[in-house]
Amino acid sequence: MATAASSDGISHQLFVSIKLECPRLGELGLVPYLFGSHPVAGSWDPSKALPMEQEAASVWGLSCVVPSHHETLDFKFLLKPKVNISQCIFEEGPDRSLSCGRNEVEIRNALFKFNDETGVVECKTLVETEILSPFDLAASWKAHQEHLQPRVHGAHNDIMNAASESRAKNGFASGLELDLEKYIVPTPNMGSGVVYAANLTENPRSLLHTGISSNNDTTTGNLHNSIKGDTSLNHYASSKKLADGRNAPPHEEQRAVFVDRGVGSPKFARPTNENISMSNIKFDSKAKGMPAAEGAVAAGAVADQMYGPKEDRKLAIVLVGLPARGKTFTAAKLTRYLRWLGHETKHFNVGKYRRLKHGINQTAEFYRGDNMEGVEARNEVAALAMEDMLSWMQEGGQVGIFDATNSTRSRRNMLMKMAEGKCKIIFLETICNDQHVLERNMRLKVQQSPDYAEQTDFEAGVRDFKERLAYYEKVYEPVEEGSYVKMIDMVSGGGGQLQINNISGYLPGRIVFFLVNCHLTPRPILLTRHGESLDNVRGRIGGDSSLSEVGLLYSRKLASFIEKRLASERTASIWTSTLQRSILTAHPIIGFPKIQWRALDEINAGICDGMTYDEVKKNKPEEYESRGKDKLRYRYPRGESYLDVIQRLEPVIIELERQRAPVVVISHQAVLRALYAYFADRPLEELPNIEIPLHTVIEIQMGVAGVQEKRYKLMDAVNSTAGI
């Protein structure tokens, strides 16, 4: 095999990792072997075949370096009984081949036919090849020697340290216990339980008499009894006055000529010899009507502010659809996305207003189209929610998500009349014709909704909800007016349709693009930092150092964890940054495609790259002080801010939303803080201080029930970097 040569003339060789998985082999008392065309593999002599080493209950492995003087290496698998190794059962089919010159991953089955009642035994096999330099091989061997101690066969059939019992002792493969639950640690930021999405929406300020809109739900239980049953218009009028009567700035004052650093500050012409420190420039961090954002989001916001009609500067997304169509779920996802991008966004759920105003014990009769008292009561709470949303927009809010059925043209006309001259309305209609999805959603609704909290008979609650749904269907009128987006069967997994009408502008365009990629398919997303790097040990910022010995150990523990956690998820993928500490952490993981994203690289520290924070404090005190004052917006000279990182991560978020299979993201602290802030719906101001510990896997479970989190601590982090 002719070796590949690098640009510096150093010969590279092919490192081969082979895995075979079959639960039946243990039952049959068989051991897999490999034999092939090269003397190392027995020169097709079964008696000289290489035994594969058992790594787990049903997994065997073998690693080797392909000799440099062979173009290809042909081989096959064979099985031998443990008690009589002279008997052989050969793999069916053509020979397998290893070619030189490229990295490959091949996953296929190996078939073995027996002449007795055993029949055919099918095994899964994985062959991974990687081109390595002698230096890489030496480093890998050192790591093997210290942590793995595997069996490695070289060009002259030298067996290096074949003691397989050391694997469990050193924490690889079977060394990580099968019971993954023992590694779970408390989740400090996001609960693991299922929370009804509507409970997390804005509290009705006009009903709670607080004058402050909040999604803190702790007061509703105490206030409900005093509010329940109060349907007087005088109550609504006084609430409206309270909401509108605060010292809100006039709408015209929302224009900002100079915007804050997070949006892109105006350029000033200065003499080229003047020494400028960023800490000497003052920014208005509270520029009104502008998102805390960078790049494209900021540019779009400025354009909308400067050139768009006045009412278009505020946007109301009004949900439309029958019950159990995923409206609240879609609204919650959209709210989370827009907040993460830096747009001031709130989610107003009319059902929450209804429960506060009229109680939770309303039967299906309350929703009859010919029950005029019920229709009037539901329109009243819809008007209250709309007034609250418009009042919040006057105070500086940018995007309001109005979540209700809004299933008749008369209701939508009422909302458009209320919003006239105040904000632009886009209707978002969710349509689902998949009966399986609808049945699941209905049962989930009865299980979680406060409307059925006091219903002890679950099936009776399901029947009541279906009766309510039938009343809505009788009066339902699809959207045909104004600007709208229709999501048709987008959640069923069959592709669906997205219809749009009269949609223009930067932000509406981003919303449509996000909705195209949304679905409800349950799948986990696993987030983890790279293993401890040499720069972590030294306390240095950025850089592109390799892993420390502790980091190498974590990479192998992570590989074992992924193998067990995603054992039934063969369509999963591994995403890394382009920095070697991330790539090296992913290296021991086999059986899954690996994708490198430059967008997942650590925050660019600019001129501070490679320095310790003590060195920054000593040599660049102005920068150290500026960063301490506002870590979110602080941009390293010739580097990035956290807001810059969010902007380059938007394609990653869109792709994570689009994926229907599990994804493992191996990245860096600042990047994972930004990704975690998205999934946990954390305020941007908290983002730079979110704890993302080393050697811990954060599992985000996405699906119809929302977002839940688990954390697995695989090993302790010697050099903690949580506070930087």
Side-chain angles (χ1 to χ4, degrees), residues 8 67 166 186 207 247 271 283 299 357 386 449 487 500 510 564-565 600 631 678 704:
D8 55 8
S166 65
L207 291 179
N247 295 324
F283 298 95
K357 182 74 173 175
M386 190 68 175
S449 173
M487 299 177 66
I500 63 174
R510 300 309 303 164
K564 293 174 175 63
R565 175 61 186 86
L600 290 175
K631 286 178 68 175
Y678 169 76
V704 67

Side-chain angles (χ1 to χ4, degrees), residues 290-588:
M290 303 299 293
E294 301 282 10
V297 169
V302 170
D304 288 346
Q305 288 277 22
M306 299 293 287
Y307 306 116
K310 187 171 74 171
E311 62 271 16
D312 285 6
R313 298 171 197 163
K314 308 292 181 180
L315 183 62
I317 305 297
V318 176
L319 274 294
V320 177
L322 293 168
R325 264 59 179 181
K327 296 184 300 299
T328 298
F329 177 84
T330 303
K333 285 177 74 78
L334 186 56
T335 301
R336 176 158 47 90
Y337 171 69
L338 294 174
R339 283 175 176 165
W340 184 75
L341 285 179
H343 300 284
E344 188 69 25
T345 307
K346 286 191 175 182
H347 179 185
F348 295 82
N349 180 266
V350 174
K352 193 170 187 178
Y353 281 70
R354 171 181 51 78
R355 284 185 284 273
L356 274 171
K357 182 74 173 175
H358 301 292
I360 63 173
N361 297 316
Q362 302 296 334
T363 65
E365 294 296 316
F366 181 75
Y367 303 92
R368 289 175 61 100
D370 57 359
N371 179 356
M372 299 312 298
E373 184 178 348
V375 171
E376 183 178 348
R378 286 183 281 128
N379 283 337
E380 178 191 11
V381 292
L384 286 171
M386 190 68 175
E387 285 287 356
D388 279 358
M389 188 174 74
L390 294 174
S391 297
W392 167 76
M393 286 181 173
Q394 282 188 325
E395 296 158 11
Q398 186 182 5
V399 184
I401 313 291
F402 189 82
D403 179 12
T405 55
N406 300 313
S407 53
T408 64
R409 190 172 290 109
S410 61
R411 164 73 74 82
R412 297 193 292 269
N413 287 339
M414 178 190 81
L415 299 177
M416 286 192 290
K417 186 173 182 180
M418 293 177 69
E420 188 173 346
K422 299 177 182 177
C423 69
K424 178 180 180 179
I425 282 185
I426 295 178
F427 294 112
L428 174 56
E429 185 176 15
T430 60
I431 301 171
C432 180
N433 300 305
D434 188 320
Q435 292 303 312
H436 173 72
V437 172
L438 290 177
E439 183 68 25
R440 178 194 65 189
N441 288 356
M442 285 187 281
R443 301 184 77 83
L444 190 66
K445 179 90 170 181
V446 174
Q447 180 183 355
Q448 296 182 1
S449 173
D451 286 347
Y452 296 95
E454 299 179 5
Q455 174 60 265
T456 57
D457 186 340
F458 179 77
E459 293 302 328
V462 172
R463 290 191 296 271
D464 180 84
F465 185 80
K466 289 182 177 180
E467 186 179 355
R468 179 198 304 190
L469 176 57
Y471 290 141
Y472 272 108
E473 288 175 336
K474 289 181 180 180
V475 298
Y476 185 73
E477 296 174 295
V479 174
E480 296 177 349
E481 66 273 19
S483 300
Y484 63 77
V485 177
K486 289 177 182 274
M487 299 177 66
I488 305 173
D489 292 327
M490 294 285 288
V491 301
S492 61
Q497 299 179 40
L498 195 77
Q499 298 179 4
I500 63 174
N501 180 68
N502 193 26
I503 300 295
S504 62
Y506 174 79
L507 188 54
R510 300 309 303 164
I511 290 172
V512 169
F513 184 63
F514 176 75
L515 294 174
V516 166
N517 292 282
C518 284
H519 58 86
L520 298 180
T521 305
R523 76 280 190 198
I525 295 173
L526 306 179
L527 307 177
T528 183
R529 289 174 65 183
H530 55 79
E532 181 190 75
S533 70
L534 295 176
D535 278 343
N536 286 146
V537 176
R538 301 170 187 135
R540 299 200 173 276
I541 308 168
D544 192 17
S545 66
S546 60
L547 298 179
S548 68
E549 294 182 3
V550 173
L552 288 170
L553 178 58
Y554 175 70
S555 71
R556 287 161 177 84
K557 287 205 171 190
L558 177 64
S560 181
F561 173 85
I562 296 301
E563 180 183 358
K564 293 174 175 63
R565 175 61 186 86
L566 302 181
S568 61
E569 303 281 2
R570 307 317 296 177
T571 57
S573 56
I574 313 297
W575 296 3
T576 73
S577 73
T578 63
L579 301 176
Q580 65 171 330
R581 57 189 182 274
S582 173
I583 297 170
L584 290 173
T585 302
H587 179 71

Side-chain angles (χ1 to χ4, degrees), residues 656-676:
L656 285 173
E657 288 286 358
R658 193 184 70 83
Q659 291 282 321
R660 295 180 183 270
V663 177
V664 180
V665 180
I666 303 174
S667 187
H668 310 268
Q669 180 165 252
V671 170
L672 293 179
R673 279 172 170 165
L675 292 179
Y676 181 84

Side-chain angles (χ1 to χ4, degrees), residues 34 71 161 174 259 264 419 483 611 617 621 662:
L34 182 145
E71 288 294 335
N161 201 343
S174 57
V259 293
S483 300
M611 301 171 66
K617 185 176 182 179

Side-chain angles (χ1 to χ4, degrees), residues 226-246:
S226 62
I227 296 169
K228 181 179 177 182
D230 183 1
T231 59
S232 67
L233 293 179
N234 290 334
H235 168 77
Y236 167 57
S238 62
S239 299
K240 176 180 177 183
K241 181 178 179 181
L242 190 71
D244 292 343
R246 286 182 301 277

Side-chain angles (χ1 to χ4, degrees), residues 9-21:
I10 299 174
S11 295
H12 289 61
Q13 293 187 317
L14 207 64
F15 181 79
V16 182
S17 175
I18 301 172
K19 303 282 185 182
L20 182 144
E21 179 181 5

Side-chain angles (χ1 to χ4, degrees), residues 201-210 212-214 217 220 348-349 352-354 356 388:
T201 58
E202 294 307 303
N203 275 341
R205 65 167 81 180
S206 50
L207 291 179
L208 297 180
H209 298 283
T210 61
I212 301 173
S213 183
S214 154
D217 212 23
T220 58
F348 295 82
N349 180 266
K352 193 170 187 178
Y353 281 70
R354 171 181 51 78
L356 274 171
D388 279 358

